[in-house]
Amino acid sequence: MTLVREQGSPGSSGPSARPRELAPRSGPATVGASKLHAQLTGVTKLFPAPSGENPVHALGPIDMAVERGEFFAIVGPSGCGKSTLLDILAGLAAPTDGTVVFENKPISGAVPPGIGVVFQEDASFPWLTVWDNVAFGLRRAGLERGETTKRVEHWLRFMGLADFARAHPAHLSGGMRQRVCIARTLVLEPRMILLDEPFGALDQQTRLLMGDELLRLWRATGATVVLITHAIDEACMLADRVGVMTARPGRFADVAVTRWPGDRDSRIVSDPSFGQLTGRVWSILRDESIKAIGHAEGDIGGRSP
Amino acid sequence: MTQSTAAVGKSRRLQDFALLVACILAAWQALYMIVGDVAITSPVTTLGYAIELLPSSDFRPHLAASLTAFGNALLISYAGGVLLGLTLGFHRFSGEVAEPMLGALYSLPKIALYPIILQIFGLGLSAKVAFGALHGVIPVALFSMNAVRGINPMHLRTARVLRLSSIETVRTIVAPAIIPEIVTGLRVGFSLTLLGVLIGEMFASQHGMGFLLINAINLHDVKMITTLIFVLFLFATVTSAILLAIDRRLHVRV
Ligand SMILES: Nc1ncnc2c1ncn2[C@@H]1O[C@H](COP(=O)(O)OP(=O)(O)O)[C@@H](O)[C@H]1O
Ligand SMILES: [Mg+2]
């Protein structure tokens, strides 16, 4: 199901599996046409500047292909266009240039069915209980009541929220609220799940455990997962492939294939090859982050770009 | 378990309420003993007079006049305020233009506008209603506008991810998001509209509680003044307690 097994790589049988050499050049790893789930071609995004200045070139041109059932992570310095990329992939924003295809159909103007999105910020509905938050989408879709109850209860249990079903989000911690949002998305059984720095606000330990949960639900659902994160360890530990983005305008500087086994968990962080992988990703990201900070300083100093 | 906890909470609140009433009565009595009959009558005298006054045919038309004016003013404050606030909230540009003006109007002592109101509406019901509505409409509009502006953009994005229609988005996301804040505005608008109507009656009317009050002041009828204040106090306290309870109930989840 994963890209790793697709390419028939031998020896990826345990947490000690070694990552393959990083692809030397930027650009997506190629994906067989039958396995193709979503594809971005030449995607560029410009934001109009507020007051007649030059528009902000936020993203691209970028090419990206995600395989069905793949776990694809995207890391990049802050402000490089990761959220913009996710918005475009979800159909929430239109690219200035380029095309987006999901399940062989071009995306235009609306979120296609089959895509679920978990946002960076808490998006739980404070006026609904946890149960009603999770049931929200199913009710709107007019699913039969018994089936709704069954699915909601399953995902509440899966996300460890069963005891909080009748609480309101205001009474939960940030991490628990993010779980509510994840459950609310998963209950609709999306075929592709997009997550934008979902654990950004959590502490390191909780993040690792949430990562495990993400792997668990990825295996349980068989869905394609695209995870945006600023945490290199998170990306390297969870994903089949890690796209490393440049400073704004974001492009892929590299796409690293991790070759972890499908049944991996957070313990692979102690694997020597994990350090090797994160080291390589960091060496690219370090330069780009310096550039990103340089941009910001330039902006502050008022120098023209 | 939960039921008995709730029962305990209820009897506790009843106790608190009784204590509050006792404190107010005690303070009232103490004030009466200090300042004496020239400024205020005692609780007992006032209550006795209120029981006598309220059902009398001298008083009832004035009460009816005040309630009519207040009801109309409240209707205009609420309908106009919510409509204006929602428009300004959803239409960002007009909201940005109107906000400082509304703010200035809100802090302006509206009594300064009274001569103008009188010129336009003349003496009588419509002037009172206009003056009440003038007080109430602005806070209701400001709260409604801020309710719309406060909608979490992530909730609207969620609506798009769930592919809700506009009507469904309004019904299931926008409405529950803005209603608590609007109700707070209605609560504030309620007391300000009441204030506006009473001031209107005091300065330019031959009917209503406000008129009775100013009349009693001119005649130095201390018993009447104290009784009217007592009746108004009761009305304002009871209604605002009810509105506050609704408000709290709506906000508890947010
Ligand atoms: N609506 C917008 N209007 C103008 N500029 C924007 C807008 N959204 C994002 N940007 C700019 O585009 C760049 C990329 O933003 P974003 O995708 O949020 O970055 P990231 O998620 O990687 O931190 C940033 O420089 C940001 O300031
Ligand atoms: Mg972002």
Side-chain angles (χ1 to χ4, degrees):
Chain A
M1 186 175 73
T2 67
L3 182 68
V4 172
R5 270 173 266 148
E6 193 53 34
Q7 290 184 339
S9 70
S12 27
S13 55
S16 60
R18 306 214 143 230
R20 204 189 62 179
E21 291 296 296
L22 293 177
R25 298 180 58 78
S26 61
T30 40
V31 158
S34 63
K35 285 280 176 183
L36 188 65
H37 204 180
Q39 186 166 34
L40 277 67
T41 315
V43 164
T44 308
K45 183 73 180 182
L46 302 178
F47 286 109
S51 55
E53 296 160 50
N54 288 333
V56 178
H57 187 177
L59 186 70
I62 219 169
D63 295 323
M64 174 180 153
V66 187
E67 195 185 336
R68 238 173 235 280
E70 182 181 19
F71 197 131
F72 193 94
I74 297 170
V75 273
S78 77
C80 76
K82 300 184 295 294
S83 296
T84 308
L85 174 63
L86 179 122
D87 277 5
I88 292 170
L89 184 55
L92 284 165
T96 313
D97 210 356
T99 56
V100 189
V101 173
F102 174 68
E103 295 180 345
N104 301 318
K105 285 190 217 79
I107 293 180
S108 61
V111 181
I115 289 186
V117 184
V118 177
F119 296 111
Q120 193 166 356
E121 297 91 348
D122 172 30
S124 59
F125 299 130
W127 58 86
L128 296 179
T129 62
V130 168
W131 209 99
D132 290 332
N133 260 283
V134 176
F136 186 85
L138 294 177
R139 286 180 175 154
R140 299 288 85 70
L143 197 77
E144 182 244 324
R145 190 177 286 231
E147 178 66 16
T148 302
T149 306
K150 215 174 83 192
R151 280 212 224 169
V152 169
E153 275 168 5
H154 171 259
W155 284 109
L156 285 176
R157 264 199 311 278
F158 190 95
M159 296 307 295
L161 291 165
D163 292 342
F164 304 95
R166 303 186 62 180
H168 282 88
H171 300 127
L172 303 181
S173 68
M176 290 300 247
R177 272 184 240 172
Q178 198 55 286
R179 280 171 199 236
V180 173
C181 295
I182 294 173
R184 187 175 70 188
T185 302
L186 292 176
V187 79
L188 297 163
E189 302 181 349
R191 297 183 292 280
M192 182 162 84
I193 305 165
L194 311 178
L195 303 107
D196 189 358
E197 304 195 21
F199 315 134
L202 306 184
D203 60 82
Q204 177 75 4
Q205 296 90 299
T206 315
R207 272 203 306 120
L208 286 175
L209 294 177
M210 289 298 280
D212 276 339
E213 265 168 44
L214 204 52
L215 284 173
R216 205 157 61 87
L217 72 87
W218 169 60
R219 283 190 287 264
T221 58
T224 309
V225 172
V226 177
L227 171 72
I228 285 174
T229 170
H230 57 248
I232 299 169
D233 56 345
E234 203 169 275
C236 292
M237 154 187 139
L238 298 174
D240 294 318
R241 287 189 300 156
V242 180
V244 186
M245 283 177 77
T246 65
R248 183 170 67 84
R251 302 152 188 248
F252 283 118
D254 207 340
V255 178
V257 182
T258 63
R259 304 199 158 235
W260 300 126
D263 60 355
R264 59 184 172 267
D265 63 38
S266 59
R267 282 170 296 182
I268 57 170
V269 297
S270 60
D271 191 280
S273 58
F274 179 80
Q276 212 173 318
L277 184 67
T278 54
R280 278 160 191 260
V281 172
W282 173 233
S283 70
I284 301 166
L285 213 49
R286 184 171 178 276
D287 292 342
E288 296 303 329
S289 299
I290 290 170
K291 273 190 230 164
I293 291 168
H295 267 301
E297 280 173 354
D299 289 348
I300 291 162
R303 278 182 269 132
S304 55
Chain B
M1 175 73 197
T2 354
Q3 218 159 22
S4 74
T5 318
V8 168
K10 204 162 208 169
S11 78
R12 179 72 178 276
R13 249 176 294 152
L14 223 67
Q15 259 177 34
D16 288 352
F17 178 71
L19 193 67
L20 183 70
V21 171
C23 283
I24 291 171
L25 288 176
W28 183 355
Q29 181 68 34
L31 185 69
Y32 168 66
M33 288 183 346
I34 297 163
V35 298
D37 279 322
V38 283
I40 194 171
T41 51
S42 74
V44 177
T45 317
T46 312
L47 276 172
Y49 190 52
I51 290 166
E52 187 185 320
L53 179 71
L54 290 183
S56 76
S57 57
D58 285 345
F59 179 77
R60 285 225 308 271
H62 290 288
L63 181 65
S66 285
L67 286 177
T68 309
F70 179 59
N72 282 303
L74 199 63
L75 212 66
I76 296 173
S77 291
Y78 280 10
V82 170
L83 211 67
L84 181 64
L86 293 183
T87 311
L88 297 179
F90 284 113
H91 193 268
R92 214 168 122 218
F93 176 73
S94 51
E96 271 162 24
V97 172
E99 191 178 13
M101 295 200 289
L102 282 181
L105 213 55
Y106 187 46
S107 45
L108 174 78
K110 271 146 292 271
I111 193 80
L113 298 176
Y114 208 43
I116 303 173
I117 300 272
L118 281 182
Q119 286 300 322
I120 300 171
F121 294 97
L123 289 180
L125 179 67
S126 46
K128 291 194 278 184
V129 170
F131 206 55
L134 185 66
H135 275 78
V137 79
I138 300 165
V140 174
L142 282 174
F143 272 94
S144 304
M145 180 179 77
N146 286 326
V148 172
R149 290 200 183 161
I151 294 175
N152 184 343
M154 287 303 131
H155 292 160
L156 297 180
R157 279 153 67 88
T158 303
R160 292 180 57 204
V161 171
L162 296 174
R163 300 181 309 120
L164 303 189
S165 68
S166 329
I167 293 170
E168 269 184 318
T169 305
V170 168
R171 190 173 65 80
T172 61
I173 293 179
V174 174
I178 63 176
I179 283 172
E181 193 70 9
I182 292 179
V183 168
T184 305
L186 297 184
R187 186 165 64 78
V188 175
F190 188 92
S191 35
L192 285 173
T193 304
L194 181 61
L195 176 75
V197 168
L198 284 175
I199 296 176
E201 288 182 339
M202 286 174 82
F203 288 95
S205 183
Q206 301 297 312
H207 304 281
M209 305 275 286
F211 164 73
L212 282 184
L213 191 59
I214 202 80
N215 203 36
I217 291 170
N218 290 335
L219 298 173
H220 202 80
D221 183 348
V222 176
K223 199 161 70 169
M224 184 65 150
I225 295 172
T226 313
T227 307
L228 286 172
I229 292 174
F230 173 67
V231 170
L232 286 170
F233 173 82
L234 267 189
F235 177 71
T237 314
V238 170
T239 50
S240 78
I242 294 169
L243 288 170
L244 191 64
I246 297 172
D247 198 349
R248 288 242 175 91
R249 212 192 177 89
L250 287 169
H251 271 94
V252 83
R253 280 132 198 202
V254 184

